[in-house]
Amino acid sequence: MTADLIAVVLLLVVAAYACAGGTDYGAGFWDLTAGGAKRGKRPRGLIDHAMAPVWEVNNVWLIFIFVIMWTGFPVLFQTVFSAMWLPLALAAVGLVLRGAGFALRKPSRRLAGRRLYGAVFAIASLLTPFFLGAAVGGVASGRVSPGTEAAADAWSNPTSLLFGLLAVAATAFLGAVFLAADARRFDAPDLDGYFRRRALGALACVAVLAVITMFVTHGDAPHVWHGFTHGVGLVFVVLAVVATLATGWLLLRPSGDWSRITAIGVVASAVIAWGMAQRPYLIPTSLTVAEGAGAPTTLRWLALVTLVAVLLVIPAVVFLYWLDTHGELEELTDTDLRRDGASGHGAPQG
């Protein structure tokens, strides 16, 4: 019973990181595709201001994931990190590089330095979610099991590649939705439209990739496919579809303030659907929750620590998000958004 509870907590934390950290990765994606220095100046200015207050705290969810995995499910931790050390190592390097690139590009005084750090931040924001998604796909496909040695097939199979592409598309979608909302908050209607169009395009990519993934898992990950199409997994698949339609409708409206909530619903429902589809396995079909769980005493202490985190840490993080989304942490000035030589709001190209 305790092991099942901790497994649910782990899944919820993964969903939280996919939404919170995914939004930051998505901002990096749009930074990469914003264009040259002149064309991309204003979108990148908005990205800098939107990310600055919260980009570091989002990694709290990743820390929770690691702690729960290595203490609550040590066999899972050992199996995943042994069999797929390469994509996870590349993701870890990407985490470090994107953080360094984002932190160093703004204070850099030389244009060449800003371009270099900006490129590092943007490219790492693309590669990190892909490798994390590929690792998750390797677990879902059942290609790893306790004792499996590292092999490219564990994370370069069809399910892994699609999960990786889905991760990139989902982060781009979240990033664009949140940036459009920030543009409305900063009274920049042209940037609102700029990112809203990109959010709709990314949402379409997510929907197409999700459909393709369903077809691929039918043959490549049959246990997960069965979970997606039956029981609790199907319920969350339906919720993800409903949230997708609602988000698309809100993005087409002049004021879509609820689009952030429905966008989170899309990604969170998809992640939870994957977790429910794997039941009762941590790794289909070789490691169940009961088999992978740590010692009962360890699980009880972990449950207590989790309760403390729920009562102390999570409210503080949620409050920080509230302050950020309500403009209480940093104000974007007209100078930051004004085009060179212009005082009005011109629409960015592209």
Side-chain angles (χ1 to χ4, degrees):
M1 185 67 178
T2 305
D4 291 333
L5 175 63
I6 298 300
V8 170
V9 171
L10 176 59
L11 178 60
L12 293 177
V13 176
V14 171
Y17 182 65
C19 295
T23 302
D24 279 351
Y25 291 129
F29 178 90
W30 298 119
D31 189 285
L32 179 65
T33 58
K38 183 177 181 180
R39 178 185 176 187
K41 180 180 179 180
R42 296 181 67 246
R44 290 191 178 103
L46 179 62
I47 289 169
D48 281 344
H49 280 79
M51 283 186 59
V54 296
W55 70 276
E56 290 179 292
V57 76
N58 286 333
N59 288 322
V60 166
W61 306 111
L62 187 59
I63 294 171
F64 276 139
I65 292 172
F66 287 154
V67 170
I68 293 172
M69 279 186 69
W70 79 54
T71 55
F73 304 102
V75 178
L76 173 66
F77 185 86
Q78 180 183 9
T79 300
V80 170
F81 278 80
S82 296
M84 292 185 287
W85 68 268
L86 181 57
L88 293 173
L90 291 173
V93 171
L95 278 169
V96 174
L97 290 178
R98 75 181 298 273
F102 182 74
L104 294 174
R105 75 168 178 176
K106 193 170 184 178
S108 179
R109 296 186 177 182
R110 300 182 60 182
L111 178 60
R114 289 197 298 271
R115 286 178 173 174
L116 173 62
Y117 295 132
V120 169
F121 159 69
I123 294 173
S125 296
L126 178 67
L127 296 179
T128 302
F130 174 80
F131 285 121
L132 290 175
V136 170
V139 172
S141 70
R143 282 179 169 82
V144 297
S145 60
T148 299
E149 295 183 358
D153 182 62
W155 59 276
S156 60
N157 56 79
T159 300
S160 289
L161 294 177
L162 280 168
F163 271 51
L165 292 174
L166 259 175
V168 173
T171 58
F173 159 64
L174 283 172
V177 169
F178 273 73
L179 287 167
D182 283 324
R184 292 192 295 274
R185 175 159 58 91
F186 292 132
D187 193 25
D190 59 310
L191 288 177
D192 176 23
Y194 175 91
F195 283 112
R196 198 181 293 216
R197 291 190 297 272
R198 282 152 178 76
L200 285 168
L203 180 59
C205 289
V206 169
V208 171
L209 286 170
V211 171
I212 295 173
T213 301
M214 291 293 288
F215 280 105
V216 170
T217 55
H218 181 271
D220 198 54
H223 180 83
V224 170
W225 178 83
H226 183 272
F228 279 144
T229 54
H230 296 80
V232 181
L234 177 59
V235 171
F236 281 97
V237 169
V238 172
L239 287 175
V241 172
V242 172
T244 298
L245 296 175
T247 306
W249 180 72
L250 288 169
L251 288 172
L252 292 172
R253 293 172 60 82
S255 178
D257 291 336
W258 286 88
S259 59
R260 287 180 297 189
I261 295 175
T262 56
I264 290 173
V266 173
V267 176
S269 296
V271 172
I272 296 173
W274 156 67
M276 293 295 102
Q278 290 196 169
R279 292 188 310 160
Y281 295 100
L282 293 169
I283 302 177
T285 50
S286 61
L287 184 67
T288 66
V289 172
E291 292 169 345
T297 302
T298 301
L299 291 177
R300 286 194 292 269
W301 276 105
L302 183 58
L304 177 61
V305 171
T306 300
L307 178 61
V308 172
V310 169
L311 295 177
L312 297 180
V313 178
I314 293 180
V317 173
V318 171
F319 182 56
L320 176 64
Y321 289 154
W322 186 89
L323 290 174
D324 178 50
T325 55
H326 286 75
E328 300 293 335
L329 298 181
E330 185 175 359
E331 182 179 357
L332 189 63
T333 65
D334 290 339
T335 303
D336 294 316
L337 287 179
R338 186 181 300 129
R339 282 184 170 183
D340 292 338
S343 59
H345 296 298
Q349 302 176 9

